[in-house]
Amino acid sequence: MKIVDAKVVVTSPGRNFVTLKLTTDEGLTGLGDATLNGRELAVVSYLTDHVAPLLIGLDPHRIEDTWQSLYRGAYWRRGPVTMAAIAAVDVALWDIKAKAAGLPLYQLLGGASRERVGTYGHANGRDIPELLDSVRARLAEGYPAVRIQSGIPGLKAVYGVSDTDETGAPVLHQQARPLVEDWDTAAYLRHVPTVFEAVRAEFGAELPLLHDSHHRLTPVQAARLGKDLEPYRPFWLEDCTPAENQEALRLVRRSTTTPLAVGEVFNTVYDYQTLVTEQLIDYVRSAVTHFGGVTPLRKLFDFAAQYQIKSAIHGPEDISPVGMAAAVHLDLAVHNFGIQEYSGHTPLTDEVFRHAYTFSDGHLHPGEAPGIGVELDEELAAAHPYAAAYLPVNRLHDGTVHDW
Ligand code: CS2
Ligand code: MG
């Protein structure tokens, strides 16, 4: 079998998605997600101008060899653009291989290790009453766990809250320049424990509660928050401090027993080496789409398993249904599964990307369709062209730019 066509489809059914479609001489097709929120066109060019021509004529069954050739052959390694492009090729090849076998992908990854995949949803509120209503809405949808993000008194626009739709998913800012949000760490550190206090008082001690600090704290501030939240037993505190400096988590780890989740912005195993081998975290967060695909992410989970660390694949609405489908196959198969983030997508997105995975009673299942189980409606995709969109940027009151 040989690859005869490699096509990049960019569509925006409510937000931008980049999809790679590979076609073989036997008529089999494979899809891969290459969406990098806010920098989509960089990956489009990487794929279109530098990778697609190299794929024509290759044997699609040689997934490992193709992955190694794209990673090592580029010379310039790692980084979100490179690894999103490689991920799209990897997932499309797994899609083809599984279709050729007539099996759902998870069966090629060792088969099911569980009956279904547990998830968490996003609850957001500009204030605590609004957040409590959002938690109720997620519980009514069956989510067994909920991430809670709240507005901060004195701040106008805060991550995960300033622009969210009725499902709690952040609304895309289709604009020529990034929206500027404001930040005050001291106000945040004072407020978050009161948020947990209110949610625990309303929903009790057992509901798994997650929170995302979104890279905004120093290590000692993260240690402070981890300790302050211990009475509320969080399921995890996510991205508590920028973790490119992996050693920064040592201070946090020795200061608190609050479980830590890190890694949605990480794209190779080297970003985790110290975090995993020193057991500085409890969950690895990379998505199939940003980590180079199923092939390397499975290896990361096996590496993490040696240190009793679990998976928690990144799953907001800017991971396309193609990337989500690949994630759910991996979730069903790996032994050290932790939890799957799931925001869902707009109805139009689900029409563009018809998927076999299902979400019911707070759990996902990849379905039994051969491959990853996603069909792309290219005509409908073409009817919703790319629209420039940026992630917000964050500034302190004095105007200093801060992590968003
Ligand atoms: C967030 C993401 O889901 C999360 O944990 O960190 O929503 C993140 O803000 C977006 O994926 C950025 O594109
Ligand atoms: Mg996050």
Side-chain angles (χ1 to χ4, degrees):
M1 197 184 318
K2 292 205 179 313
I3 296 170
V4 295
D5 187 59
K7 178 179 185 182
V8 180
V9 177
V10 185
T11 183
S12 189
R15 55 149 307 102
N16 296 310
F17 294 113
V18 178
T19 307
L20 173 68
K21 179 180 179 182
L22 299 183
T23 304
T24 73
D25 57 356
E26 295 182 14
L28 284 178
T29 59
L31 296 177
D33 180 25
T35 305
L36 188 62
N37 196 2
R39 293 298 184 269
E40 294 87 354
L41 297 188
V43 189
V44 172
S45 170
Y46 195 106
L47 281 170
T48 306
D49 300 325
H50 302 293
V51 170
L54 305 182
L55 299 177
I56 307 304
L58 294 188
D59 174 355
H61 281 298
R62 297 184 64 171
I63 299 176
E64 183 72 26
D65 180 61
T66 301
W67 194 96
Q68 296 293 342
S69 302
L70 291 176
Y71 180 78
R72 299 170 192 280
Y75 187 73
W76 312 106
R77 298 182 181 189
R78 305 168 68 181
V81 173
T82 297
M83 300 317 289
I86 296 177
V89 176
D90 184 76
V91 173
L93 294 178
W94 276 112
D95 194 12
I96 289 168
K97 185 182 276 291
K99 284 178 177 176
L103 292 170
L105 175 59
Y106 76 86
Q107 293 290 15
L108 274 64
L109 302 175
S113 295
R114 54 198 55 78
E115 303 314 313
R116 53 187 193 160
V117 171
T119 70
Y120 73 90
H122 289 185
N124 308 300
R126 283 163 296 187
D127 55 29
I128 288 178
E130 199 173 271
L131 172 61
L132 297 180
D133 288 342
S134 184
V135 173
R136 278 187 204 94
R138 295 299 85 74
L139 294 179
E141 291 161 4
Y143 281 102
V146 180
R147 186 192 79 171
I148 53 175
Q149 305 292 135
S150 150
I152 309 294
L155 298 185
K156 294 187 296 295
V158 176
Y159 163 70
V161 175
S162 59
D163 265 38
T164 56
D165 64 19
E166 65 287 350
T167 69
V171 171
L172 182 74
H173 302 293
Q174 304 266 20
Q175 68 225 343
R177 301 186 69 79
L179 180 80
V180 179
E181 296 190 351
D182 53 346
W183 185 250
D184 176 337
T185 300
Y188 168 78
L189 291 174
R190 284 193 301 271
H191 188 61
V192 172
T194 70
V195 170
F196 270 82
E197 174 74 35
V199 175
R200 280 285 178 239
E202 183 73 14
F203 297 100
E206 295 179 14
L207 174 62
L209 296 177
L210 301 80
H211 180 70
D212 192 345
S213 295
H214 224 254
H215 323 280
R216 299 179 179 204
L217 306 179
T218 64
V220 76
Q221 291 166 345
R224 165 84 276 149
L225 182 58
K227 282 178 71 66
D228 288 351
L229 294 182
E230 282 177 12
Y232 308 107
R233 295 278 192 279
F235 181 88
W236 82 31
L237 178 60
E238 178 183 351
D239 284 333
C240 61
T241 190
E244 298 93 300
N245 169 19
Q246 297 181 50
E247 290 79 2
L249 273 294
R250 288 176 181 152
L251 186 154
V252 184
R253 194 54 151 190
R254 67 170 174 265
S255 303
T256 178
T257 56
T258 291
L260 301 173
V262 164
E264 70 182 44
V265 296
F266 288 173
N267 44 75
T268 69
V269 65
Y270 304 104
D271 298 325
Y272 285 103
Q273 213 154 356
T274 304
L275 295 171
V276 168
T277 55
E278 295 185 16
Q279 291 180 302
L280 300 180
I281 58 176
D282 303 282
Y283 297 92
V284 293
R285 288 278 287 136
S286 292
V288 172
T289 305
H290 301 136
F291 200 76
V294 165
T295 301
L297 194 58
R298 177 56 193 268
K299 294 172 183 176
L300 172 68
F301 291 164
D302 290 346
F303 171 46
Q306 311 315 311
Y307 296 87
Q308 296 169 285
I309 295 170
K310 296 191 172 188
S311 75
I313 295 179
H314 187 214
E317 83 298 335
D318 50 283
I319 297 289
S320 91
V322 175
M324 180 54 69
V328 182
H329 282 279
L330 205 44
D331 289 334
L332 197 71
V334 298
H335 178 259
N336 60 321
F337 168 74
I339 197 167
Q340 172 66 51
E341 178 179 14
Y342 183 65
S343 298
H345 293 96
T346 64
L348 180 57
T349 299
D350 288 336
E351 277 186 68
V352 172
F353 301 94
R354 288 188 304 279
H355 51 80
Y357 65 80
T358 52
F359 176 70
S360 68
D361 186 28
H363 290 73
L364 288 160
H365 191 282
E368 300 301 331
I372 64 172
V374 181
E375 299 297 328
L376 174 61
D377 184 330
E378 294 186 55
E379 191 178 332
L380 189 55
H384 300 277
Y386 169 82
Y390 287 89
L391 281 165
V393 295
N394 206 7
R395 288 187 180 273
L396 304 178
H397 290 316
D398 69 359
T400 306
V401 72
H402 193 71
D403 293 293
W404 177 75

